[in-house]
Amino acid sequence: MGNTARHIAIIMDGNGRWANERGLKRIKGHERGAEVVRTITIHASNHPDIEVLTLYAFSTENWKRPKMEVEFLMRLLGNYLKNELPTYIKNEVRFETIGDLSRFSPALRKQIETMKQRTGHFKKLTQVLALNYGSQDEIARAARNLCETGKEIDTENLEKSLESAQFGPVDILIRTGGEQRLSNFLLWQSAYAELFFTSTLWPDFDPEELERIIEDFKKRHRRFGGI
Ligand code: FPP
């Protein structure tokens, strides 16, 4: 028995360090990171408990990186979406996003839209990519929208106004790369998430480590504020 890992969210950190350790350019780490996204998504789609996998692919702060790196990440994402559509179809994975897409190029936005349309009916796993996402920004937007409706501002109504509400609360929040912080990721939805920090750099993360985390999670005593 134990807890059910319905929603897993991951802060994928450590691509740059992985590349540096090998004398490679940072972008090589991102390339390898994209392959791990694919492997973990396929694994999650075949896992009986996991219904939602949310991955932090680009934060509202990531625009501060050197222009070349930002451009590379955009290209990488575009190529990933183009190449991996068959993988999502084969594994029956629905593709979704959270975050403000308005800053992305029209071409990339179109690719994102196509991917959502082509996979929208799949039920085995929903993979949510957080793109230009920041949790404080999401909560502020929700509050603004709720104000406009004139409804009461309580936790239930505010939660319903959040873009991420449709994917439900996070059960397991993992951060790779050794840092122990949340970096403005899914703050509301992670209110009662079990947190896991691993020093493994994202390009080295694999399904075996994910399984070890899930096993550990199953044994944890979740009290949700009770006793
Ligand atoms: C953190 O590593 C990673 C990112 C900021 C981007 C995440 C992107 C990927 C995993 C690849 C692209 C994803 C898709 C879906 C195609 P970092 O650069 O902050 O690493 P560092 O802390 O070692 O510098």
Side-chain angles (χ1 to χ4, degrees), residues 64-171:
K64 293 181 204 149
R65 294 187 176 213
K67 191 163 171 261
M68 234 194 65
E69 185 169 337
V70 170
E71 280 173 4
F72 181 83
L73 281 169
M74 295 299 141
R75 265 204 313 282
L76 184 63
L77 181 62
N79 289 336
Y80 177 87
L81 295 176
K82 201 160 62 202
N83 297 334
E84 299 301 342
L85 177 61
T87 308
Y88 282 63
I89 292 173
K90 180 163 174 259
N91 294 282
E92 298 175 32
V93 177
R94 171 184 164 217
F95 175 81
E96 270 297 335
T97 62
I98 48 172
D100 179 7
L101 300 179
S102 67
R103 250 185 104 169
F104 295 114
S105 73
L108 189 52
R109 288 211 307 263
K110 188 153 181 277
Q111 254 172 346
I112 290 170
E113 214 29 65
T114 305
M115 188 84 168
K116 285 183 185 174
Q117 277 170 8
R118 297 284 304 276
T119 63
H121 55 293
F122 291 133
K123 301 259 183 294
K124 255 174 88 183
L125 175 77
T126 298
Q127 188 220 48
V128 186
L129 275 194
L131 294 170
N132 192 22
Y133 174 84
S135 205
Q136 293 175 338
D137 175 61
E138 182 195 21
I139 293 168
R141 268 189 287 150
R144 263 196 309 276
N145 291 340
L146 184 56
C147 266
E148 279 169 17
T149 66
K151 285 188 197 151
E152 193 182 344
I153 304 199
D154 55 19
T155 47
E156 200 183 320
N157 283 337
L158 190 55
E159 176 160 326
K160 280 191 205 142
S161 312
L162 291 168
E163 195 188 3
S164 59
Q166 54 184 312
F167 307 114
V170 173
D171 297 298

Side-chain angles (χ1 to χ4, degrees), residues 35 53 103 105 138 140 156 185 200 224:
E35 286 169 27
L53 175 70
R103 250 185 104 169
S105 73
E138 182 195 21
E156 200 183 320
F185 186 49
T200 304
F224 297 98

Side-chain angles (χ1 to χ4, degrees), residues 12-19 29 176-177 200-203:
M12 310 180 286
D13 198 10
N15 293 348
R17 276 166 286 160
W18 182 90
T176 63
T200 304
L201 304 174
W202 176 250

Side-chain angles (χ1 to χ4, degrees), residues 19-34:
N20 282 342
E21 280 174 6
R22 287 162 179 75
L24 302 169
K25 293 215 169 82
R26 291 178 55 82
I27 56 172
K28 288 286 164 200
H30 294 315
E31 247 168 31
R32 176 64 178 255

